Amino acid sequence: MNCLCLLLRSGFVGHTLRAWMAALTAGTLTAACTLSPTVPPPEPVARQTFDTFSLSGRLSVSDGKQSASGRLEWERRTGTDRWTVSSPLGQIIARIDFGPDGAEVLFANGERRYAPQVADLVPILLPGAAEAGLPPERLAAWVQAAPPGGAEIRTLDVRGRPARLIDKGWIIDYLGYRDESSEAMPRLVDISRGEFRLRLVVDRWETGMP
């Protein structure tokens, strides 16, 4: 008993205990580092851009002052596009056909309007698109998550697919894909610049059509 008291008074036991705890902590940290290796970032996968495709989905757009929502049917053939925009209940509002020779919009009441380029007609259906400078010619690449020339892939998802693009001041976020494969098409696309935001939820995709 006297020896133990002397050891306690001398601080020998406390010193030994502290040393033992330090060694135990260092061993635990080393083991944790061994069990949890650093995961390397995903490598970007090559994305194919289809010249022909068809999609159907739900569309919403807002510019901070006004908003609109509905359904979009998009048929893209080589050199030509057709957008059919419907109300949330499925009633056709307008159809836009465009290509190298110009653009035409046909409203449900039979009225037609022509323009040399589709950018002149898009604001009719998408509030705030003109003020935000939405580039319709880049939308086909954006919705396919296939970065057009000059676009920057800012982040990737765990499978190496684009999660965010930056293109000419626009932010394109891919919030979901159709499946887990590397070539899967996007299901939820969010396009924004300033207060303008366009969101597309794609319910159906067909690519490489004749």
Side-chain angles (χ1 to χ4, degrees), residues 1-201:
M1 179 66 71
N2 291 336
C3 291
L4 178 61
C5 291
L6 288 173
L7 289 172
L8 288 172
R9 291 194 186 103
S10 67
F12 175 78
V13 173
H15 175 75
T16 303
L17 181 61
R18 287 193 297 272
W20 179 80
M21 290 296 293
L24 179 62
T25 301
T28 302
L29 291 174
T30 302
C33 293
T34 302
L35 294 175
S36 303
T38 302
V39 178
E43 292 292 329
V45 297
R47 299 286 301 181
Q48 181 179 359
T49 304
F50 292 94
D51 292 330
T52 62
F53 65 77
S54 174
L55 67 81
S56 174
R58 289 158 283 162
L59 182 71
S60 63
V61 60
S62 64
D63 65 354
K65 299 177 182 178
Q66 52 186 337
S67 61
S69 62
R71 295 196 60 85
L72 172 67
E73 303 281 341
W74 185 348
E75 294 184 11
R76 181 176 179 83
R77 307 287 179 176
T78 304
T80 62
D81 292 84
R82 170 174 287 182
W83 294 347
T84 302
V85 180
S86 306
S87 71
L89 298 178
Q91 182 180 3
I92 294 178
I93 298 172
R95 187 186 73 204
I96 296 181
D97 291 286
F98 58 96
D101 298 328
E104 175 189 37
V105 58
L106 172 64
F107 293 97
N109 62 4
E111 178 187 356
R112 295 177 183 267
R113 294 187 190 179
Y114 300 91
Q117 54 188 6
V118 68
D120 298 324
L121 299 178
V122 167
I124 298 174
L125 302 175
L126 303 179
E131 291 79 5
L134 181 70
E137 71 279 1
R138 301 182 83 79
L139 287 175
W142 289 356
V143 299
Q144 296 183 66
E152 175 191 354
I153 300 177
R154 185 62 58 88
T155 57
L156 300 169
D157 69 6
V158 294
R159 298 188 179 277
R161 302 171 299 194
R164 167 169 284 193
L165 296 182
I166 304 295
D167 188 13
K168 298 184 180 296
W170 288 87
I171 300 173
I172 305 95
D173 288 315
Y174 300 96
L175 307 178
Y177 282 82
R178 298 286 292 170
D179 57 52
E180 297 302 314
S181 62
S182 60
E183 68 274 9
M185 303 300 282
R187 184 178 184 276
L188 178 54
V189 185
D190 191 276
I191 300 169
S192 62
R193 184 179 185 183
E195 294 187 336
F196 181 86
R197 169 163 289 180
L198 186 154
R199 174 166 288 195
L200 176 64
V201 181

